Amino acid sequence: MKKWIAAVVVAAIVVLAAVFFWPDGKLPFLSNETAEEFNITIFHTHYEPGSISVKQGSLVRLNIITAEGTSSYMHGITIDGYGINELVTSETVPKAITFMADKAGTF
């Protein structure tokens, strides 16, 4: 029983700390907002689609795979303005990246 209470207290502290330190106190994983989803395929020289557009403040989910026959290459995706830098190695299982588009601009 004491371990259960300790686990609940630790979980509450983690959530409160995340809210305190996250920009604007908005945690995408606690949001009721539905994410705008985009399926992206990485080829050797480009991405498909080549660009996406979202409204500032939107929750965004990118589902990314590599093109057929390219999974052995070191493909990845980087969005500097959001600190995203992920390796994508599968042709069938998407790498899911979720973030809050809280900045205006082109990335």
Side-chain angles (χ1 to χ4, degrees):
M1 183 71 160
K2 289 181 182 180
K3 288 182 182 181
W4 182 82
I5 293 171
V8 170
V9 170
V10 169
I13 290 170
V14 169
V15 169
L16 290 173
V19 169
F20 179 75
F21 290 109
W22 197 270
D24 300 325
K26 298 176 183 175
L27 296 171
F29 54 85
L30 294 179
S31 174
N32 289 333
E33 182 178 354
T34 302
E36 291 187 52
E37 289 200 41
F38 298 90
N39 296 321
I40 299 173
T41 302
I42 302 176
F43 292 84
H44 285 299
T45 58
H46 66 284
Y47 296 86
E48 283 187 12
S51 67
I52 61 171
S53 296
V54 298
K55 291 184 179 180
Q56 186 175 357
S58 297
L59 184 61
V60 179
R61 179 182 169 109
L62 307 177
N63 302 309
I64 309 166
I65 60 171
T66 62
E68 186 176 335
T70 66
S71 62
S72 62
Y73 296 94
M74 300 298 284
H75 290 301
I77 187 163
T78 300
I79 306 173
D80 290 328
Y82 289 95
I84 295 170
N85 186 13
E86 295 285 339
L87 183 63
V88 180
T89 59
S90 178
E91 298 174 15
T92 57
V93 179
K95 175 76 166 193
I97 299 171
T98 303
F99 64 98
M100 186 66 68
D102 57 355
K103 301 172 187 166
T106 302
F107 303 93

